[in-house]
Amino acid sequence: MPTTVSLATGRPAAAGAINLNHPDHYFHWGFVIISLANLVVIVVLIALFIAALLVPFMKPRPVPAPEVDETEPAVRAQAAATGEPTWTGAVRRLGLRFLPPAKLLPDYQPAYVASWAYVFGVATLTALMVVIFSGLALAFEGPAWWHISSAGHFVNSIHLWAVELFMGFMTVHLWFKFWMASWRGHRQATWMTGVLCFLVAIFEAFTGYISQTNFDSQWIAFEAKDAFASSGIGALINPLNFGQAVMLHISLIPAAVLVLVAVHVLLVRVHGVAPPIEARAEHLSTPAPDSAEVAR
Amino acid sequence: MSAPEAQVPAHVDRRTEARRRAAAEGQPWRGPLRHYDIIKEATIAFVVVAVLAVALAALFSSPDQPPVTLRQWANAQPAGFTQVALSELQGTSTSATYGPPFNGQSGSVQSLGPVSIQKLLGVAWPLHPDLAFVIDPLSTLPTDPALGSAIRTWESAGAAQQKSWTAAYAKEVGKLGLGASIPSRVSGAGPVPQLLSSLLAMARTGALDAALVSHGTFYSSDYTNAIMFLGDSATSQDHSYWNEIVTAEHLQGSQWGVMNETGSWPGQPWLWLYSMWYQVPPMNSSHNADILVVAIVTILSLALLFLPFIPGLRSIPKWVPLHRVIWREYYRQAPR
Ligand code: HEM
C-alpha cells in the first residue's frame, strides 16, 4: 500500500533571491530523463561555447619579436656557477632550459592567440581557486557549521556554485582543446594531464556530495557503494563512512587535483600555445637536430 | 628536404611528413606576436569568477535537505520497518546477503564474465546485520527483564529453531501494509515478537539512529550500519519511506538519479555519460549492471586520455573546420 510521505521535512532552507527549494520539472524523452536545472546548465555551456567561437576577440596589439634568445638564461646560469658540478646547478639549468622566466610569465604571445576559446583554461583555474578558498572556510568551521548558521550556508552556496563554474568552464575548455587538436606538436602530455584533472575532479565532486551530511549524502553514498564494491574500489573506500569521505575530500584528492593542475599549466608554459592547424610553414621553425629530442 | 621522393613508398612518406610536422609544431613560434599580460589576465579572471560565484550563491542559495532518519521511517511505516528488521534477523536482507566488501555472502557480488574483482578483494568492512542492526542495539537498552530474556533465548537457540520462529512471525507480519501497526503476540514465533517490537519502539524514539552509529565507542564518523539498514528498505519495498522521497525527487538510478539534485538545483550534469549506461540494455536489467557500466566508462575514459594517439579520432578536428573559425584572424592574414 503506497504511503504518502511529506517532502516538507522541517528545517527551513536558507533561501536565495530565487527560491529553488521546490520540486524540479523533469523532461522525459524516450529513455532520457533530465531535470530542467541540469538542462539549463548544459544549454548555457553550449551557448558559451558558441559565443566564444563567434564573438570577436579584443584587437591584438602587435609586438616585435623579442631580442633575447630563450636559451640565453640557461647559458648564463651555467656561466655563473662556480664551475664545480652540483646537483643544485643541474636542477637550476634544467629549470631555466625548459622554463626561462619569459616563458613562465610571458608578456607576449603568438598573434593567433586571439580568441575567447583561450580564456576557459584561466577561467577554470580561477574557479578552482574560489572552490578552494570557500572550501577552506567550510573546513575551518567544521562539518556542522553550514547546516546551522546562515553565514555557513552562504559559504556553502559559494562553494557549490564555484564548483558548477569550475566543472562548466573545464568542460568548455575540453571541447575547445579537442576542436583545436591542442595535443599537436608533442603536447600530448598537456592533454593527458588535462583529462586526469577532469576525472579526478569528478571524484572530488563525488566525495564532496557524500560529505554533506544531509539527504543527498545518504542517498548518493548508498547508491554509489554498489559501483564501488563491484569494481573492487569498495575494498579501499567505503562511501558510507563519512569520516573517510570527508578526509579524502579535503586532503588527498584536492592535493591530487592541485598537483595535476600545476603540472598541466606548467606544461602549457613549457611548450607554448599550440599553433593553428595548418599554420604557414615559415611561421614554424624547423627543429634543430638536437632539440627535436627535447621536444619529444 | 631533399629526400629522393620517387623511391619512398607513399605511406612512409606520409608518416615522415607527419613526424616532421609534429616536430615543427613543437618548436617555438616564429610568426607574428601580440602583446599579452598573463598576471593581469589571471587577476581579472579571478575577480570576475569570484563575483560570479558570489552572485550565483546569493541568487540561488544551495540545497540542504535534512537526512532521513530511522526514527521518521519507523513512525511512518511501523510494519514496513519491522519487515525489514525481520529480514535482518533472518539474514535475508540485501545487506545480510551482500558479499564483499561487507561479508562473505554473494547476493550482490558482480562479475565481468568469469572475473569478479569484488570477490577477489574480499571483506574489508565486516557487517553482520542480525547482530549489528538488531541484537547489539537492543542490548544497549536499559535492562527490561522481558527483553533481556528474549535476547538470551534467541542467542542460545539453534539455527533451525530461530528459522522456525522467524518463519512463523513472517507469516503474520509479512502480509501487513507498510503503515500498519504490528501484533505484539504471534504464536510459534518465540522471542521474535518481543525483539522486534522492542526494536520498533527503540527506532521510534530515535535511540536506534544513535545506537547504529555508536559502534560502542564515544566518537563516531561511520554511518555504514544506519545507511545500510535504511537501504534495505529501499531495495526490498518499492514504497518504503525512503523510496517514496527518493522517487519524488527523481534520484533513483533508473531516473538518471546520479545526475540529479533535491529541489530545483542542478546536480552533477557531468555524470550524464555514466548515468546513461544504466538506462540501456543489458545494463538496465542486469545483476552485473554496476561493473558493466564501470568497465564501459573506464574504457571511454582511457580513450579520452589517449585520444592524441588514436588514429582517426585524433584527426576529427582537422576534418571538421571549427578551427578555421577559432583562428579566422590568423588564416585571413596568412592564407594557405
Ligand atoms: C582542472 C582543470 C583544468 C585547468 C585548471 C586547466 C587550465 C589550463 C590553462 C590555464 C591552460 C592555458 C590557457 C588555455 O589554453 O586555455 C590550459 C591549456 C590546455 N588545456 Fe587545460 N585545464 C584543465 C583541464 C583540462 C582538460 C580537462 C583538458 C582536456 C581534456 C585540458 C587540455 C588542455 C590542453 C591540450 C591545453 C593546451 C592548449 C594549447 O597549447 O593551445 N585541460 N589548461
Side-chain angles (χ1 to χ4, degrees), chain A residues 226-277:
Chain A
D226 298 324
F228 275 61
S230 71
S231 58
I233 302 168
L236 290 174
I237 298 171
N238 173 9
L240 305 165
N241 183 338
F242 162 69
Q244 188 182 20
V246 74
M247 298 272 186
L248 284 172
H249 182 67
I250 66 172
S251 65
L252 185 66
I253 313 175
V257 171
L258 281 176
V259 169
L260 284 168
V261 168
V263 173
H264 180 71
V265 174
L266 286 180
L267 278 172
V268 177
R269 297 271 47 96
V270 167
H271 290 296
V273 179
I277 294 173

Side-chain angles (χ1 to χ4, degrees), chain B residues 47-48 89 95 98 102 115 129 143 150 199 215 241 322:
Chain B
V47 172
V48 170
L89 212 47
S95 325
Y98 197 91
F102 298 114
V115 184
T143 37
L199 193 73
H215 302 277
Y241 182 75
L322 281 186

Side-chain angles (χ1 to χ4, degrees), chain A residues 118 121 124 170 173-174 177 182 190 194-195 197 261 264 268 273-274:
Chain A
Y118 286 103
T124 312
M170 177 161 33
H173 177 61
L174 187 159
K177 295 308 146 187
S182 301
T190 314
V195 172
C197 286
V261 168
H264 180 71
V268 177
V273 179

Side-chain angles (χ1 to χ4, degrees), chain A residues 14 61 113 216 218 226 277, chain B residues 34-35 61 68 98 261 331:
Chain A
R61 181 144 56 83
V113 185
D216 279 346
Q218 279 180 314
D226 298 324
I277 294 173
Chain B
R34 55 168 296 219
H35 170 81
S61 189
V68 161
Y98 197 91
E261 176 57 274
Y331 295 125

